[in-house]
Amino acid sequence: MPWITPDAHAQAIEAAREIVLCRLDRSAAPRAALVELLERKEVDPRISAEVLDRLEAAGVIDDAAYAARLARTRFAEKGAARRAIAEELRRKGLGERDVTAALNQINSDDEDAAALNLARKKLISMRHLPWEVRRRRTAAMLGRKGYSRDVTMRAIEDALAEEQGGETVP
């Protein structure tokens, strides 16, 4: 950035700040997304960094809180597994420390219970189909949500056993 007057600098800061605040009015966003937004608007990188640093210091931008909220929401509302949530957080540009802290909210027992609940719902919705088809489709759904093969198979077996009154399904 060539030398600019203090007034021009203040105007550039205010314009960038306004862009960021308008975006944050719609929904929370991680810093990386805001950097990309300012790049698309052709804001000088030094101006962007200054604006984002100020907003971060003021607590307006908080990647850790954003990651924690997104992890809770994806797990509670969509039944996404920790692995899928971690991938989404990384795609959004969040650092490993924030990703790890967000995933620490969800333990293995929570994940197992969610997988079992999802398996029950899916299996019930396909009662009219042969059990092999039901099993395959349920496994595919859980896999898309990020559950490991072990968690998926255990959830399906438990849900099918419950459905059959405790009998083991071949």
Side-chain angles (χ1 to χ4, degrees), residues 43-155:
V43 174
D44 183 283
R46 289 174 284 196
I47 297 290
S48 295
E50 185 176 338
V51 167
L52 296 175
D53 288 345
R54 286 181 185 178
L55 291 173
E56 206 167 45
V60 176
I61 300 170
D62 186 346
D63 281 358
Y66 176 83
R69 188 172 40 254
L70 188 131
R72 282 191 308 272
T73 301
R74 292 299 188 268
F75 182 74
E77 294 178 6
K78 301 203 184 278
R82 288 179 292 189
R83 183 175 68 191
I85 294 168
E87 288 174 14
E88 182 177 358
L89 292 172
R90 288 183 188 108
R91 272 195 316 273
K92 291 181 178 285
L94 292 152
E96 283 305 310
R97 188 171 18 139
D98 293 330
V99 171
T100 301
L103 295 179
N104 283 338
Q105 302 174 94
I106 306 165
N107 65 37
S108 296
D109 293 339
D110 295 335
E111 200 169 63
D112 289 346
L116 178 59
N117 192 38
L118 288 167
R120 284 179 187 136
K121 289 178 184 176
K122 185 69 171 175
L123 290 168
I124 287 170
S125 74
M126 300 182 295
R127 276 207 167 122
H128 62 285
L129 296 172
W131 72 265
E132 298 91 356
V133 174
R134 295 170 70 204
R135 179 182 284 201
R136 184 182 68 241
R137 289 183 183 177
T138 302
M141 180 268 301
L142 289 172
R144 285 190 301 274
K145 290 193 175 285
Y147 290 95
S148 71
R149 185 179 189 290
D150 290 342
V151 170
T152 295
M153 298 319 293
R154 192 168 46 249

Side-chain angles (χ1 to χ4, degrees), residues 116 119-120 123 154-164:
L116 178 59
R120 284 179 187 136
L123 290 168
R154 192 168 46 249
I156 292 170
E157 288 170 15
D158 291 350
L160 285 172
E162 287 174 6
E163 187 178 283
Q164 309 245 327

Side-chain angles (χ1 to χ4, degrees), residues 2-73:
W3 186 87
I4 60 172
T5 66
D7 282 346
H9 179 76
Q11 288 173 347
I13 291 287
E14 186 55 34
R17 185 177 156 280
E18 189 62 30
I19 291 168
V20 171
L21 292 177
C22 282
R23 168 59 184 84
L24 292 174
D25 273 348
R26 291 193 313 266
S27 65
R31 182 179 175 122
L34 299 172
V35 167
E36 288 176 18
L37 170 65
L38 292 172
E39 285 174 357
R40 283 194 313 273
K41 299 284 186 177
E42 298 180 0
V43 174
D44 183 283
R46 289 174 284 196
I47 297 290
S48 295
E50 185 176 338
V51 167
L52 296 175
D53 288 345
R54 286 181 185 178
L55 291 173
E56 206 167 45
V60 176
I61 300 170
D62 186 346
D63 281 358
Y66 176 83
R69 188 172 40 254
L70 188 131
R72 282 191 308 272
T73 301

